[in-house]
Amino acid sequence: QAQKSSSSCLDRSGASPSAHDSACTMPAEMKRKRETDEEVVETTSFPKNKIKVLLLEGVSARGIKILQGDGFQVEALKGALTEEELLEKIKGLHILGIRSKTQVS
């Protein structure tokens, strides 16, 4: 990891940042990548609240809450669906989350 000079680790007031400030020790190219990744996460080409997600076969409650908290429309079912049921459910769907029991062709 590249070392930065102490002057580049000073904030605008001239004070040294806390030990928890990773920007001081992070190489510049990593910082740019992180900033770019954050921008991508914040913007989507389609509003998240209009993205429909179907999760089958008992996906974890934590995963469901993460998606819902991010603004997605989430429907979660404990079991698998028959082929006919799945064909009906995926109409207008954007994301399908499955486990091993569901086969998609």
Side-chain angles (χ1 to χ4, degrees):
Q1 189 171 5
Q3 293 290 327
K4 288 189 173 190
S5 69
S6 60
S7 62
S8 67
C9 291
L10 300 177
D11 67 16
R12 288 193 174 131
S13 68
S16 294
S18 71
H20 300 293
D21 187 356
S22 62
C24 180
T25 57
M26 184 184 303
E29 63 275 4
M30 292 285 291
K31 186 175 180 186
R32 279 192 298 277
K33 180 170 179 7
R34 187 179 82 186
E35 290 168 353
T36 302
D37 290 346
E38 288 171 358
E39 289 171 12
V40 170
V41 170
E42 291 174 9
T43 59
T44 60
S45 60
F46 194 71
K48 284 184 180 180
N49 65 348
K50 297 198 184 293
I51 296 175
K52 296 177 183 177
V53 179
L54 175 61
L55 304 173
L56 302 176
E57 303 177 54
V59 171
S60 76
R62 183 172 182 254
I64 295 166
K65 286 180 183 179
I66 289 170
L67 290 168
Q68 289 172 332
D70 226 15
F72 295 100
Q73 293 180 38
V74 179
E75 180 180 0
L77 303 175
K78 291 190 183 281
L81 298 175
T82 65
E83 183 176 359
E84 295 79 25
E85 292 170 327
L86 184 58
L87 286 170
E88 188 61 34
K89 281 281 191 185
I90 62 173
K91 291 178 182 176
L93 190 69
H94 300 99
I95 300 171
L96 175 62
I98 60 171
R99 297 181 72 187
S100 61
K101 191 171 184 181
T102 301
Q103 299 297 309
V104 178
S105 56

